Amino acid sequence: MRLDDRLETLLADMTVDEKVGQLGIFADMLRPFAADVNPEMNELNAGELRERIRAGQVGAVFNGVGAAQGREAQRIAVEESRLGIPLLMGADVIHGMRTVFPIPLGEAASFEPVLAERTARAAAVEATACGLHWTFAPTLDIARDQRWGRVAEAAGEDVVLGTAFAAARVRGFHGDDLTADDCLLATPKHFVGYGAVIGGLEYNSVEISEGTLRDVHLPPFKAALDAGALTVMSAFNDINGVPASAHDELLTGVLRDEWGFRGFVVSDYTADFELVAHGFAGDEREATKLSFTAGVDMSMQSGLYATHLPDLVASGEVSMDTLDEGVRRVLAVKQAIGLFDNPYRSLDPDAEAALDPQALHGELARDAARRSIVLLKNDGGVLPLRRSGQKIALIGPFARDRDNIEGCWTLFGDKSQYVNLEDGLRAALDDGGALTVVDGSGFEDAIDGGIEAAVGAARDADVVLLAIGEPQNYSGEAQSRTRIVVPPAQQALAEAVVATGTPVVVLLRHGRALALHGAVRDAQAILATWFLGTQTGNAVADVVFGDYNPSARLPVSFPRDSGQQPLYYNRQRTGRPELPDMQEFKSRWREMPHGPLYPFGHGLSYTRFEYGPVALSADALDWDGALTVSATLRNAGDRFGEEVVQLYVHDRVASRVRPIRELKDFRKVALAPGEETTVSFELHRDQLAFTTRSGQFAAEPGLFDVWIAPDCESGEAVQFTLRGA
Ligand code: NOJ
């Protein structure tokens, strides 16, 4: 690529050390925040970093915050370094900055990409006001194994849902104008396959077919780039034996040659250095060479590029052209966001002082949170509760807790604004005194007299809200679990409380799909509330008391047992499928049915929706044509409600075994009581395509089943034929 004359002239003037400087990102020790996130990063002290910036040896800094100190760092880069190249300032702003929105998995449950676009925009407004240009988000890893803790960070198990959220989040972070003060550069991550680590074990290897990689894991990245993303983060894992951070076929072959990506790739934290631990590089010098030449342009935190690239260039092992190309990509991104013309963009202390996150985004945070809550179960219509005339016991370690509200990936949330369950519920009650609050147990350990107190409170109450689940450090990076269950101390609490016979509504807190057992599974009602962020208590109250009719649906399958993992709805057909009345020699578990407890797409409402039969505009889809698939949807209940209407397809016979069902489209539809509408989707050949054995992305003519359904297991299929060209 060639930059404009100004930048080409600049490049021509750069020494090798200055070039290499642009390819390094280091922890922002000038304004450190949340230093415990990556403790190793503190090796570099503030004074040393300042010196390096002055010497032109730093291209970017990360995970610091504050406009004034950021401005000072930028001043050193622009005024005191020889060439005055501005710094790019990044951070992990994953699901909110000061205002914390639901974890991305929870937000995906809304099935409203437009909501994610709005919360990403809000995060961008706040982050840029606090002195940032760049976020390491969105996380786009498709995760089919709930043992993996980073399920929390992305959009779940499905590629169509994940792709829609990927594009929406990039649009939201960027806004309309890349050079605007409030544009926050997005970084789709982790490229690629990270969500498929074997056994859900963090940082583990990935063994994956070309077809699954291309059809399941790559599309969200393509969508993010099509939406304008200019940087990508390479992953920690290896893929079929080649570390993602040295994978030239993916980093250069797919990303650049196939997709035409012109931005830069940043490594994950010390991922280049880790090539040595992988046993893929013999030493750090070789790791540098392999990573850089594969297409990782910027090295995060290891300092390897700074140490070894000059020598690799001098020896000719890395050509000057290759070095220049990496530098061009970084300079081009800096230019794209206006840093050369306006190096102090997003570094305005007055804007930071004037920022009022609560006034700007409090309502959005509440709406996003309630739109993310899934009503899994509601036996006997126990929910919604009345605001008065009944005694409510709020029991569980999350009842008044404030330390497990934000979820796994929030560095900068304003904790003073967090609304816990107790406060949110009490504020919603006509008589706040009707709420009794008891912890009952700790997150992991019983507390003395806890169960007795909880049982007493449950007996005295008309209904129990049981606030249990995973503490937030159970999900996120490096938090894999073998048993994805409610911790035993809390399970014991649930058993005792449910045994009182008082109706129990479980308010589940979780960063992944959980296997629910015993009293938790069998409670009258269950709300999946993920980690909802700043407005947790208010949002839960909105749903509990019916001010908001739940409309979210599961973006991940809830298993019956941990041992079913990986469990995902769009699994491939087997030659010996499980049959209800035939046990032996079938694909089945000895102890339980194959399927989930709650399927992908599942979620109830306080109203009832009725689907009409699926109608097709024709019984065949022409090769270049479109097929309209529609069904009537009626709100047959007595409340306003929103339904997530889901379009699924199944390819009857193909040259590669195909999934039993695949989501192809979805839409959230709002209906007044008694109202009916027709929901129509258009299907095209591309949506039926997959990576064939010859490596083509192609659809194959033949018979297909299609459903319009409220989840991945229900509905009646109709058939159509895809006609050949
Ligand atoms: C490691 C994580 O894998 C990545 O997601 C994050 O952006 C970096 N650390 C920087 O904090």
Side-chain angles (χ1 to χ4, degrees), residues 25-35 38 41-50 53 58 60-74 76 87-91 130-133 136 269 300-301 347 412:
I25 176 165
F26 298 94
D28 190 344
M29 297 315 293
L30 297 179
R31 44 177 191 167
F33 191 93
N38 293 118
M41 80 188 190
N42 300 338
E43 282 165 20
L44 196 70
N45 66 40
E48 197 182 335
L49 181 62
R50 209 174 275 120
I53 295 173
V58 178
V61 289
F62 75 104
N63 282 356
V65 71
Q69 303 96 312
R71 201 177 172 88
E72 172 58 11
Q74 194 69 300
I76 298 172
L87 296 167
L88 193 56
M89 302 188 180
C130 297
L132 295 168
H133 306 126
F136 307 134
Y269 194 98
M300 182 182 281
Q301 192 60 14
L347 293 170
F412 312 106

Side-chain angles (χ1 to χ4, degrees), residues 38 63 92 136 150 189-190 233 236 268-269 300 477:
N38 293 118
N63 282 356
D92 289 286
F136 307 134
R150 302 197 84 166
K189 71 184 188 187
H190 308 81
M233 185 182 286
F236 287 129
D268 201 342
Y269 194 98
M300 182 182 281
E477 187 176 349

